[in-house]
Amino acid sequence: MEEKNVFYRDTWAEIDLDALFSNISQIREYLPEDTHVFAAVKANAYGHGDIPTAKTVLAAGVHGLAVAFLDEALAIRDAGITAPILVLGATRASDAGIAARKNISLTVFQIDWLQQAEKFITSDSRLPVHIKCDTGMGRIGITDEDELRKIDTFIHQSDRFIFNGIFTHFATADQLDETYYNKQLSRFNHFLSCLETLPPYVHAANSAAALCHNDSLFNTVRIGIAMYGLTPSNEIKDILPFNRKEVFSLHTKIVHVKKLRAGEKVGYGADYTASEDEWIATLPIGYADGWIRKLRGFEVIADGEMVPLVGKICMDQTMIKLPRSMSVGTQVTLIGKQKDRFISVDDVAKKLETINYEVTCTITNRVPRVYKMSKTLDK
Ligand SMILES: Cc1ncc(COP(=O)(O)O)c(C=O)c1O
């Protein structure tokens, strides 16, 4: 008989929903009480699992959810979640009808798009929209006030749209130098001053802005990386006003152990050579899991000890060098805590010369997510 949550390999990511709940509760306590928090659960909640993450943060008091694509929003609705959802990215105009029927807010920034989309929304529904202003990110959004006025007028004259929000996104909120941030903020304030009436949600702040710049809060913020217990950047990690705990950890178990004689080789290209007799173990995780080849030489934790990866990382397997023989089944932690050792997501990001966001997003869906939570969430 098949059982829920059963998986048949010894590699898994553990998602600490208690830590997620605590992170978001602390962020909410730090922000003014009437600030609406939208939790960024796009990209499968940065690799943490969108539905369990969404349910947990909603139980912890967030107001709504933000995703990148309509497919992500529809999957959340299909899971029975009725909270406000905003799609932050561009959506095809021809998909406006389904978004309206599911009460999913879309981001708009082109007058032609609105004219097209109007034809796909039936008279029994209305599409909530947020206008995106490009104040310096150079990605999507209107760039001048004429476009804003045209879009505003069009939305108000149409019976197919609801003007639900206006927003922008900062390019440098995670840097200590505030010059560019201030430019973007003043451009956004200028856009707002062009509107006769503000919509219900006005927002600009991501995690970094919400936690480090009070003047970016307006009445709504979009929190992603911080609720996962990760810092938006190293530059501001010491000024984050809460006691964050990483939510994501990654584990596997040794599936094979052998003694290599001095001179014997490991892995593709046979480019690792044992310099003496060495204990080598094999782990069932590889680059197809997002544990990519650039991690060669990184250290992981086996039985509480730091041990190096040796040889090239394969598609499904990785070899490590042990200080002594260990048994098959010994747990190995690749990210997270084991005994008194800890490998942070940032440690992996540093080795990969990238940002922590990319690390959790890159662990593929082949790695089962195991959810840990001590409390039961209200339905
Ligand atoms: C438009 C937008 N808003 C909010 C966020 C959340 O940002 P962060 O994870 O830095 O809080 C993102 C993330 O990329 C985004 O693209």
Side-chain angles (χ1 to χ4, degrees), residues 235-251:
E235 239 176 270
I236 60 164
K237 73 173 188 307
D238 297 329
I239 55 171
L240 287 184
F242 79 108
N243 185 12
R244 64 190 170 88
K245 187 166 179 228
E246 291 193 12
V247 175
F248 188 98
S249 61
L250 181 64
H251 311 271

Side-chain angles (χ1 to χ4, degrees), residues 287-308:
Y287 61 77
D289 298 304
W291 190 251
I292 62 173
R293 282 165 59 124
K294 205 174 168 190
L295 283 161
R296 182 178 182 156
F298 192 64
E299 289 192 318
V300 296
I301 314 167
D303 197 22
E305 291 182 58
M306 301 302 295
V307 301

Side-chain angles (χ1 to χ4, degrees), residues 40 42 46 88 132 139 169 206-207 222-225 357:
K42 61 197 174 112
Y46 295 28
L88 298 166
K132 178 75 185 277
R139 209 160 57 172
H169 190 55
N206 54 3
S207 297
R222 307 180 304 272
I223 302 290
I225 199 76
Y357 294 71

Side-chain angles (χ1 to χ4, degrees), residues 10 43 69 85 109 183 244 254 269-270 289 292 307 357 360 374:
D10 275 336
F69 301 114
I85 306 180
F109 46 94
K183 265 192 200 150
R244 64 190 170 88
I254 292 175
D289 298 304
I292 62 173
V307 301
Y357 294 71
T360 56
S374 56

Side-chain angles (χ1 to χ4, degrees), residues 82-99:
T82 54
I85 306 180
L86 168 62
V87 175
L88 298 166
T91 306
R92 293 188 293 235
S94 54
D95 294 331
I98 181 163

